[in-house]
Structure formats: C-alpha cells, structure tokens
Amino acid sequence: MGFFISLYSGKHQHYLLNPALLFSYCSIYPCCVVVVTMAKSKNHTNHNQNKKAHRNGIKKPKTYRHPSLKGVDPKFLRNQRFAKRGTFLVMTKNKAAAKAAAKAKSA
C-alpha cells in the first residue's frame, strides 16, 4: 500500500505518485494545500447490482407492430412504397374477381 498525494491550488488539482516531486510543486504553486491519503486498493465491485436490477424485474424491450423506418435507405423505402401499391391493386382485383365468380356460381 502506498500513499496518494493531492495538491489543491486554486482551481487546479494535481495528483502526485512520487513524494519527491512535492517540494518542486510547492515552489511552483506557493499557496497550495497538500492532502495525503492512503492509496485506493479496490477499484470496482459489482456487489448488489444484480439484486437491484431484479427488484422490478428484468423486462424485455417492447416490440411494436410496425418498427420505425427512420434511418432506412431512401431508395429502398421508395421501392417498398411502389411494391405495396402494386400488391394492393392485385389483391383488390383478385377479390373483385372472386366476388364475381361467387355471384355467377350462385346465379
């Protein structure tokens, strides 16, 4: 374990790992405050994060009926629009023909 030296001088904060540089910094920043603390030993922990995440449940993202087409290739969108129109016309034509055939069959 080592020591961690922090120098506060006005707006600036400097961290020193080498205590030998302390005197040179104090000569540059004459009105500095020196704080000596123990070096930090633990940098990261995942303790309790899983419990916190499961308190309200891990939920799947919502899926919508029609996904957004934002950011899709404009050339593809234009072609898709024409394709939908053509499909719609063919389907209405087939429905009309089926109706006419059913009417002719019943008569």
Side-chain angles (χ1 to χ4, degrees):
M1 290 270 222
F3 289 97
F4 197 68
I5 301 171
S6 305
L7 296 176
Y8 297 96
S9 59
K11 295 179 188 175
H12 306 289
Q13 181 179 5
H14 305 277
Y15 299 104
L16 292 178
L17 296 176
N18 187 357
L21 298 174
L22 178 64
F23 296 109
S24 61
Y25 262 87
C26 285
S27 62
I28 296 169
Y29 302 104
C31 57
C32 66
V33 177
V34 179
V35 178
V36 179
T37 56
M38 288 294 290
K40 194 173 165 188
S41 59
K42 184 173 68 172
N43 292 320
H44 175 70
T45 181
N46 202 30
H47 177 70
N48 203 38
Q49 298 309 309
N50 217 17
K51 183 178 178 184
K52 280 165 54 178
H54 283 85
R55 281 178 75 108
N56 295 318
I58 304 284
K59 295 182 178 71
K60 287 184 181 178
K62 288 185 179 179
T63 55
Y64 297 99
R65 186 172 185 181
H66 301 288
S68 170
L69 295 174
K70 186 177 179 183
V72 178
D73 183 28
K75 192 174 178 182
F76 169 78
L77 289 176
R78 183 176 162 84
N79 185 54
Q80 188 183 45
R81 199 167 65 234
F82 291 125
K84 281 180 181 175
R85 174 79 176 141
T87 306
F88 177 76
L89 291 175
V90 169
M91 285 180 70
T92 53
K93 189 177 174 184
N94 289 347
K95 279 183 187 175
K99 248 186 191 179
K103 193 175 183 182
K105 195 175 187 180
S106 66

